[in-house]
Amino acid sequence: MQKVIVAVVQAGSFVFDTSRTMERLKRHCEEAADQGARLVVFPEAFLGGYPKGIDFGARIGSRSLEGRDDFRRYWEAAIEIPGTEISKLGDIAARYHVNLVSGLIERAGGTLYCSVVFVAPDGRLQGKHRKLMPTASERLVWGCGDGSTMPTVKTDFGILGAAICWENYMPLFRTAMYGKGVNIWCAPTVDDRDSWQSTMRHVALEGRCFVLSACQYLLRSQCPENYYPIQGGSPETVLIKGGSVIISPLGEVLAGPLRDAEGLLTAEVDMDDVVRGKFDLDVVGHYARPDVFSLSVDEVAKIPVNYSQSADSMTRLRDVRDGQGAGLSSSRPTVGSQDDQDEKLPAKVKATENVDR
């Protein structure tokens, strides 16, 4: 193994303004690369925004028109995967030659997900994780992920995985990720409580892994004018106060926690410390009791609607796609195979199907 410099970014989004936030992300990647970082982790919902303090006009039994319009704005700021913004992330990662891990709001049809993407130094999208269980009112605007997006990503210095905010309180999810060999645990969050620090130290100690927790630092001034958080409307109001931190496999705080400011934390980590830590605790190895406890993980994608087609139907669909059916022109909508679709995607996003699990 080797020593490597890692970085976490503490910054807030420009809520509902993805293009401005992308520029902020680029600036922080440049700063981290200048300091020698090879891995840069951004907070939860960094692209797309975390709508702290607003309620989307929802009460039990009713939703307001103003709240529906807030959801429209949120949906428009969200990101499709693959898509233009993912290509931009690939360009940034390649320009600064960093492994880039960022929280974002993903748009899939009419549903939003709180997700994390992993982008390689050559610009490839290596993986995506959707938050399994949004917390409390987050469930009003985010869908739940399933077991098909719990990847680990191999780099030349370690194995990355991600747990978003309160996923870190899900012991079975942590165990599933430990079982995949994660040794750099990325924890994008908006939890700025003092108690979050003990959670991060616990995960580091339990998993014998490095923990990189990136939290937002968000001011009311970074939100649109017609945005009314419960915390108040003064531009100086702090909506999320930070608390980003880097922790070793033995629970030592290597950098941070950073509070009440935007900033960058870096640390040089010795990946051999992972092995040193496993000497007396490997919760999915010599410290496990599979004769007493076991965990089954379902990684099959749960698709709401499945369509079955006969061979003849598929032939007709291919004819439609190719414009060869009777009375059909090539300008009609087409249905193609995944390979056909992949050929139309930018090269940087084709590698999604090669995610290490």
Side-chain angles (χ1 to χ4, degrees):
M1 293 192 180
Q2 59 180 299
K3 294 182 179 180
V4 62
I5 296 175
V6 298
V8 299
V9 173
Q10 179 160 295
S13 312
F14 291 103
V15 177
F16 303 153
D17 192 338
T18 299
S19 61
R20 286 184 71 192
T21 306
M22 186 72 75
E23 288 302 312
R24 175 168 281 185
L25 181 146
K26 179 180 178 182
R27 176 169 56 82
H28 281 295
C29 277
E30 180 179 16
E31 181 184 1
D34 287 344
Q35 296 186 34
R38 297 179 59 195
L39 168 64
V40 188
V41 181
F42 284 83
E44 178 180 14
F46 188 68
L47 294 172
Y50 188 85
K52 183 71 177 280
I54 64 172
D55 59 15
F56 289 85
R59 303 291 186 271
I60 293 176
S62 68
R63 272 74 55 200
S64 71
L65 292 177
E66 293 81 6
R68 293 182 186 278
D69 206 47
D70 282 340
F71 183 77
R72 176 196 58 78
R73 290 195 294 173
Y74 202 24
W75 184 89
E76 289 176 351
I79 290 168
E80 293 183 340
I81 304 176
T84 301
E85 288 82 7
I86 296 300
S87 295
K88 289 180 180 178
L89 288 177
D91 291 340
I92 292 169
R95 177 172 181 174
Y96 299 111
H97 199 66
V98 294
N99 291 271
L100 175 56
V101 178
S102 183
L104 53 78
I105 302 304
E106 177 191 357
R107 182 175 69 221
T111 299
L112 304 181
Y113 297 93
C114 181
S115 299
V116 166
V117 291
F118 301 84
V119 184
D122 62 3
R124 290 178 300 117
L125 177 63
Q126 292 182 292
K128 172 185 76 176
H129 167 55
R130 287 177 173 171
K131 193 173 186 177
L132 290 170
M133 179 51 64
T135 301
S137 296
E138 293 173 352
R139 296 173 205 168
L140 179 69
V141 291
W142 298 343
C144 295
D146 61 29
S148 69
T149 66
M150 301 192 307
T152 54
V153 171
K154 292 181 180 178
T155 70
D156 58 1
F157 52 82
I159 301 174
L160 311 179
I164 305 170
C165 207
W166 277 25
E167 283 186 320
N168 287 275
Y169 291 126
M170 300 175 72
L172 300 183
F173 176 64
R174 296 199 310 268
T175 302
M177 297 304 290
Y178 298 150
K180 294 185 176 188
V182 173
N183 52 29
I184 300 180
W185 185 280
C186 303
T189 189
V190 293
D191 192 333
D192 58 5
R193 301 169 304 151
D194 292 340
S195 56
W196 183 252
Q197 301 303 314
S198 60
T199 299
M200 294 296 91
R201 295 186 77 178
H202 173 87
V203 172
L205 284 163
E206 179 182 67
R208 290 302 198 251
C209 53
F210 288 98
V211 170
L212 281 62
S213 181
C215 186
Q216 288 209 31
Y217 176 68
L218 181 65
L219 302 176
R220 169 61 185 85
S221 60
Q222 295 166 225
C223 306
E225 183 176 344
N226 56 339
Y227 184 97
Y228 308 104
I230 194 172
Q231 294 88 345
S234 171
E236 295 78 23
T237 299
V238 177
L239 301 181
I240 307 173
K241 65 182 180 182
S244 301
V245 68
I246 301 175
I247 301 174
S248 81
L250 293 179
E252 301 167 293
V253 176
L254 302 179
L258 176 62
R259 296 196 181 280
D260 300 314
E262 182 174 343
L264 179 74
L265 296 177
T266 63
E268 183 179 63
V269 300
D270 183 352
M271 296 305 298
D272 283 334
D273 284 346
V274 173
V275 179
R276 296 182 181 106
K278 298 282 189 181
F279 172 57
D280 53 3
L281 182 68
D282 182 355
V283 295
V284 289
H286 63 77
Y287 216 85
R289 284 294 305 274
D291 54 326
V292 181
F293 306 107
S294 64
L295 174 63
S296 177
V297 180
D298 184 354
E299 294 194 320
V300 176
K302 301 300 183 286
I303 302 172
V305 183
N306 289 281
Y307 298 93
S308 298
Q309 299 287 346
S310 67
D312 288 343
S313 296
M314 291 305 295
T315 299
R316 287 195 295 272
L317 286 172
R318 283 194 295 270
D319 288 344
V320 170
R321 178 197 68 192
D322 298 332
Q324 297 173 2
L328 297 178
S329 71
S330 59
S331 63
R332 293 282 298 273
T334 62
V335 178
S337 68
Q338 186 62 49
D339 288 341
D340 294 328
Q341 295 171 20
D342 283 350
E343 286 302 314
K344 302 174 184 177
L345 298 179
K348 291 177 181 174
V349 301
K350 289 184 181 179
T352 306
E353 62 188 33
N354 298 321
V355 172
D356 294 305
R357 296 195 182 277

mmCIF file of all heavy atoms in Angstrom, residues 13 16 36 57 82 92 137 156 169 180 203 214 227 246 301 311 333:
data_model
loop_
_atom_site.group_PDB
_atom_site.id
_atom_site.type_symbol
_atom_site.label_atom_id
_atom_site.label_comp_id
_atom_site.label_asym_id
_atom_site.label_seq_id
_atom_site.Cartn_x
_atom_site.Cartn_y
_atom_site.Cartn_z
ATOM 1 N N SER A 13 -24.009 24.739 -1.502
ATOM 2 C CA SER A 13 -24.505 24.923 -2.859
ATOM 3 C C SER A 13 -25.048 26.332 -3.028
ATOM 4 O O SER A 13 -25.322 27.041 -2.062
ATOM 5 C CB SER A 13 -25.646 23.941 -3.133
ATOM 6 O OG SER A 13 -25.333 22.633 -2.739
ATOM 7 N N PHE A 16 -30.741 25.511 -5.935
ATOM 8 C CA PHE A 16 -31.503 25.567 -7.181
ATOM 9 C C PHE A 16 -30.710 26.185 -8.334
ATOM 10 O O PHE A 16 -31.280 26.468 -9.388
ATOM 11 C CB PHE A 16 -32.827 26.328 -7.027
ATOM 12 C CG PHE A 16 -33.753 25.791 -5.975
ATOM 13 C CD1 PHE A 16 -34.664 26.632 -5.353
ATOM 14 C CD2 PHE A 16 -33.738 24.455 -5.610
ATOM 15 C CE1 PHE A 16 -35.548 26.151 -4.385
ATOM 16 C CE2 PHE A 16 -34.601 23.965 -4.635
ATOM 17 C CZ PHE A 16 -35.502 24.819 -4.021
ATOM 18 N N GLY A 36 -1.948 18.702 -3.736
ATOM 19 C CA GLY A 36 -1.497 17.334 -3.939
ATOM 20 C C GLY A 36 -2.537 16.263 -3.707
ATOM 21 O O GLY A 36 -2.216 15.070 -3.711
ATOM 22 N N GLY A 57 -44.520 23.369 1.248
ATOM 23 C CA GLY A 57 -45.954 23.599 1.387
ATOM 24 C C GLY A 57 -46.761 22.369 1.746
ATOM 25 O O GLY A 57 -47.955 22.286 1.418
ATOM 26 N N PRO A 82 -26.686 9.199 -17.084
ATOM 27 C CA PRO A 82 -25.683 10.170 -17.513
ATOM 28 C C PRO A 82 -26.344 11.447 -18.013
ATOM 29 O O PRO A 82 -27.556 11.498 -18.221
ATOM 30 C CB PRO A 82 -24.968 9.441 -18.649
ATOM 31 C CG PRO A 82 -26.024 8.533 -19.220
ATOM 32 C CD PRO A 82 -26.847 8.081 -18.045
ATOM 33 N N ILE A 92 -13.774 17.985 -15.176
ATOM 34 C CA ILE A 92 -13.077 18.572 -14.021
ATOM 35 C C ILE A 92 -12.125 17.554 -13.407
ATOM 36 O O ILE A 92 -10.962 17.868 -13.103
ATOM 37 C CB ILE A 92 -14.100 19.071 -12.987
ATOM 38 C CG1 ILE A 92 -14.872 20.265 -13.541
ATOM 39 C CG2 ILE A 92 -13.412 19.445 -11.676
ATOM 40 C CD1 ILE A 92 -16.076 20.660 -12.716
ATOM 41 N N SER A 137 -38.427 14.456 6.791
ATOM 42 C CA SER A 137 -39.091 15.204 5.712
ATOM 43 C C SER A 137 -38.385 15.082 4.373
ATOM 44 O O SER A 137 -38.964 15.450 3.338
ATOM 45 C CB SER A 137 -39.202 16.685 6.099
ATOM 46 O OG SER A 137 -40.033 16.846 7.224
ATOM 47 N N ASP A 156 -6.129 3.215 -7.464
ATOM 48 C CA ASP A 156 -4.796 2.630 -7.329
ATOM 49 C C ASP A 156 -4.234 2.798 -5.925
ATOM 50 O O ASP A 156 -3.109 2.384 -5.661
ATOM 51 C CB ASP A 156 -3.831 3.198 -8.376
ATOM 52 C CG ASP A 156 -3.690 4.708 -8.295
ATOM 53 O OD1 ASP A 156 -4.320 5.325 -7.405
ATOM 54 O OD2 ASP A 156 -2.958 5.279 -9.124
ATOM 55 N N TYR A 169 -25.959 5.507 10.192
ATOM 56 C CA TYR A 169 -26.596 4.922 11.369
ATOM 57 C C TYR A 169 -27.279 3.597 11.064
ATOM 58 O O TYR A 169 -27.974 3.055 11.927
ATOM 59 C CB TYR A 169 -27.625 5.899 11.945
ATOM 60 C CG TYR A 169 -27.029 7.129 12.571
ATOM 61 C CD1 TYR A 169 -27.439 8.402 12.174
ATOM 62 C CD2 TYR A 169 -26.047 7.041 13.554
ATOM 63 C CE1 TYR A 169 -26.897 9.551 12.742
ATOM 64 C CE2 TYR A 169 -25.493 8.175 14.123
ATOM 65 C CZ TYR A 169 -25.921 9.418 13.719
ATOM 66 O OH TYR A 169 -25.371 10.546 14.289
ATOM 67 N N LYS A 180 -17.557 -5.562 1.436
ATOM 68 C CA LYS A 180 -17.022 -5.305 0.096
ATOM 69 C C LYS A 180 -15.594 -4.758 0.129
ATOM 70 O O LYS A 180 -15.028 -4.446 -0.913
ATOM 71 C CB LYS A 180 -17.926 -4.320 -0.644
ATOM 72 C CG LYS A 180 -19.313 -4.880 -0.940
ATOM 73 C CD LYS A 180 -20.122 -3.901 -1.780
ATOM 74 C CE LYS A 180 -21.466 -4.503 -2.154
ATOM 75 N NZ LYS A 180 -22.200 -3.667 -3.120
ATOM 76 N N VAL A 203 -17.503 4.787 13.046
ATOM 77 C CA VAL A 203 -17.411 4.089 11.759
ATOM 78 C C VAL A 203 -15.954 3.763 11.435
ATOM 79 O O VAL A 203 -15.630 2.659 10.987
ATOM 80 C CB VAL A 203 -18.057 4.932 10.636
ATOM 81 C CG1 VAL A 203 -17.789 4.310 9.273
ATOM 82 C CG2 VAL A 203 -19.557 5.073 10.874
ATOM 83 N N ALA A 214 -17.647 15.043 4.504
ATOM 84 C CA ALA A 214 -17.741 16.399 3.950
ATOM 85 C C ALA A 214 -19.139 16.935 4.235
ATOM 86 O O ALA A 214 -20.134 16.342 3.809
ATOM 87 C CB ALA A 214 -17.479 16.381 2.445
ATOM 88 N N TYR A 227 -37.167 32.281 -1.152
ATOM 89 C CA TYR A 227 -36.839 31.053 -0.401
ATOM 90 C C TYR A 227 -36.999 31.424 1.062
ATOM 91 O O TYR A 227 -36.343 32.356 1.546
ATOM 92 C CB TYR A 227 -35.400 30.642 -0.743
ATOM 93 C CG TYR A 227 -34.914 29.344 -0.124
ATOM 94 C CD1 TYR A 227 -34.955 28.157 -0.858
ATOM 95 C CD2 TYR A 227 -34.373 29.307 1.155
ATOM 96 C CE1 TYR A 227 -34.475 26.970 -0.314
ATOM 97 C CE2 TYR A 227 -33.899 28.121 1.697
ATOM 98 C CZ TYR A 227 -33.959 26.960 0.965
ATOM 99 O OH TYR A 227 -33.482 25.779 1.497
ATOM 100 N N ILE A 246 -11.663 14.374 8.837
ATOM 101 C CA ILE A 246 -10.962 13.203 8.299
ATOM 102 C C ILE A 246 -10.447 12.400 9.490
ATOM 103 O O ILE A 246 -9.789 12.952 10.387
ATOM 104 C CB ILE A 246 -9.798 13.599 7.377
ATOM 105 C CG1 ILE A 246 -10.315 14.451 6.207
ATOM 106 C CG2 ILE A 246 -9.071 12.360 6.861
ATOM 107 C CD1 ILE A 246 -9.198 14.999 5.310
ATOM 108 N N ALA A 301 -31.884 -4.688 -8.893
ATOM 109 C CA ALA A 301 -32.612 -3.431 -9.091
ATOM 110 C C ALA A 301 -34.114 -3.682 -9.028
ATOM 111 O O ALA A 301 -34.628 -4.645 -9.608
ATOM 112 C CB ALA A 301 -32.235 -2.813 -10.430
ATOM 113 N N ALA A 311 -40.101 -12.817 -29.111
ATOM 114 C CA ALA A 311 -39.078 -12.636 -30.152
ATOM 115 C C ALA A 311 -39.654 -11.857 -31.333
ATOM 116 O O ALA A 311 -38.996 -10.983 -31.903
ATOM 117 C CB ALA A 311 -38.539 -13.992 -30.606
ATOM 118 N N PRO A 333 -40.103 7.599 -33.235
ATOM 119 C CA PRO A 333 -39.383 7.200 -32.025
ATOM 120 C C PRO A 333 -38.894 5.775 -32.154
ATOM 121 O O PRO A 333 -39.557 4.919 -32.761
ATOM 122 C CB PRO A 333 -40.452 7.318 -30.922
ATOM 123 C CG PRO A 333 -41.452 8.287 -31.471
ATOM 124 C CD PRO A 333 -41.453 8.072 -32.950
#
